[in-house]
Amino acid sequence: MFGYILKRVLATIPVMVIVAIFVFLLLRLTPGDPAAILAGDAATPAQLERIRDRLGLNDPLHVQFVTWAGQILRGDLGTSLISNTSVSGMIADRLGPTLNLAVMTIVISVLLAVPMGVIAAWRHRTWVDFLVMSFSVLGFSVPVFVIGYILIQIFAIELRWVPVQGYKPPADGIGPFLARAILPALTLATIYVALIARMTRASMLEVLGEDYIRTARAKGVRENVVLFRHALRNAAVPILTIIGTGFALLISGVVVTESVFNIPGIGRLTVDAILARDYPVIQAMILLTAGIYVVVNLAVDISYSLFDPRIRY
């Protein structure tokens, strides 16, 4: 197991190097001058030249890349061109709301979707299966902002059970945090419940036709043990992949949901940086997103051996 983990970790290094080179070249070769954004419209050519020298923009590209990569390896993501604050600090401030929302969404999705998919496969071609599949189609079809506004209208405006918008960290109390996080989490969970339930159903249908499932039933094993211990464990690999990918996507930031519910998360930070052409923040966010996907995929690969007895390392 240790050798496999080490091999997988080492395999991520060239991936991150390629991503870093791509991000660096993409932002350096696109139209726009960071010096002009920093100096403003009234800046003189001499002022722009001094700013370019200070930022190292007049150096050759390979020198700029080596300097930038060295800063990244030291944990220095640079300084925002707009707010003149540390990019690391900006990400740290926004990561908490996004991470809390992602964890809450995935927990709700898994607790609802996996049993739904298992039962739909167990009751294949019955009204239960039809109901679960209908919900899956609906979850994929309705835009997330429509779901968000419907939930706001019902639970925040009509019933007044929760606030309309805003965010409170768990440190301010579990009650205020849940009151403001439950609607955005349910909004996002609608999509992920549909996706995970559909994948669970498809994987379970494939496994339920195997010989060892028929053997377990012939031996008199209880149906719930057959479904959740024997069948679900062997059907877990594609389900884990979907869950891991969804979690990485959520941590990377969900712009629409964060905007609808006024959550100061990673997604809104990324969009604001792109609109303002804040190059250090954009670079850091792309690298962060790539790193999240690499780490989550690594965790999913390692977890395969825990759920699929056929896999040995």
Side-chain angles (χ1 to χ4, degrees):
M1 175 66 77
F2 176 77
Y4 172 77
I5 295 176
L6 180 61
K7 183 172 67 174
R8 294 291 296 168
V9 170
L10 293 177
T12 64
I13 296 177
V15 174
M16 294 305 299
V17 170
I18 293 173
V19 170
I21 295 174
F22 173 77
V23 171
F24 176 82
L25 293 177
L26 178 66
L27 295 181
R28 289 301 188 279
L29 298 178
T30 52
D33 187 357
I37 297 173
L38 191 62
D41 296 334
T44 63
Q47 291 174 328
L48 292 176
E49 193 64 25
R50 285 196 297 269
I51 293 175
R52 292 190 188 99
D53 287 334
R54 178 165 59 87
L55 296 177
L57 298 178
N58 289 329
D59 296 334
L61 278 179
H62 68 278
V63 175
Q64 294 184 44
F65 177 76
V66 171
T67 302
W68 175 70
Q71 292 175 342
I72 296 297
L73 292 176
R74 294 193 300 269
D76 181 11
L77 298 178
T79 303
S80 169
L81 299 179
I82 305 303
S83 62
N84 198 32
T85 57
S86 170
V87 175
S88 301
M90 295 173 66
I91 294 176
D93 292 340
R94 300 293 190 97
L95 187 59
T98 297
L99 184 59
N100 291 330
L101 180 59
V103 171
M104 194 169 177
T105 300
I106 287 296
V107 169
I108 294 174
S109 301
V110 172
L111 291 178
L112 293 177
V114 173
M116 287 171 57
V118 171
I119 294 173
W122 180 44
R123 295 302 185 189
H124 183 45
R125 294 181 180 176
T126 65
W127 67 269
V128 177
D129 186 21
F130 175 77
L131 188 63
V132 172
M133 288 299 96
S134 298
F135 175 81
S136 297
V137 173
L138 186 65
F140 282 124
S141 303
V142 181
V144 64
F145 69 90
V146 174
I147 299 173
Y149 285 130
I150 290 174
L151 293 179
I152 289 174
Q153 180 66 33
I154 296 174
F155 295 103
I157 297 176
E158 299 292 339
L159 298 178
R160 298 185 180 181
W161 288 355
V162 293
V164 175
Q165 292 179 325
Y167 175 79
K168 289 284 186 180
D172 291 349
I174 297 299
F177 164 71
L178 291 177
R180 290 164 175 80
I182 187 63
L183 287 188
L186 288 175
T187 299
L188 292 170
T190 303
I191 301 173
Y192 287 98
V193 166
L195 179 61
I196 298 172
R198 194 178 187 91
M199 179 58 68
T200 302
R201 173 184 176 272
S203 299
M204 287 291 293
L205 283 175
E206 182 179 350
V207 171
L208 287 175
E210 297 292 338
D211 292 338
Y212 60 86
I213 298 297
R214 288 192 290 268
T215 301
R217 285 171 170 166
K219 289 181 177 180
V221 179
R222 295 193 308 272
E223 192 66 16
N224 64 320
V225 176
V226 172
L227 290 175
F228 289 96
R229 181 178 298 178
H230 297 286
L232 182 59
R233 183 178 181 183
N234 287 280
V237 171
I239 301 171
L240 287 173
T241 302
I242 291 296
I243 293 173
T245 303
F247 187 64
L249 180 62
L250 288 169
I251 298 179
S252 302
V254 187
V255 178
V256 175
T257 304
E258 290 178 356
S259 299
V260 169
F261 291 95
N262 194 27
I263 298 175
I266 291 294
R268 290 182 62 189
L269 176 62
T270 304
V271 172
D272 292 343
I274 293 173
L275 294 176
R277 306 180 78 90
D278 198 343
Y279 294 113
V281 178
I282 299 173
Q283 287 178 326
M285 292 309 305
I286 297 177
L287 287 176
L288 176 65
T289 301
I292 289 171
Y293 273 94
V294 167
V295 171
V296 170
N297 285 329
L298 177 62
V300 170
D301 288 344
I302 294 172
S303 68
Y304 285 166
S305 62
L306 303 177
F307 291 90
D308 193 339
R310 298 167 295 181
I311 299 177
R312 292 291 182 266
Y313 303 112

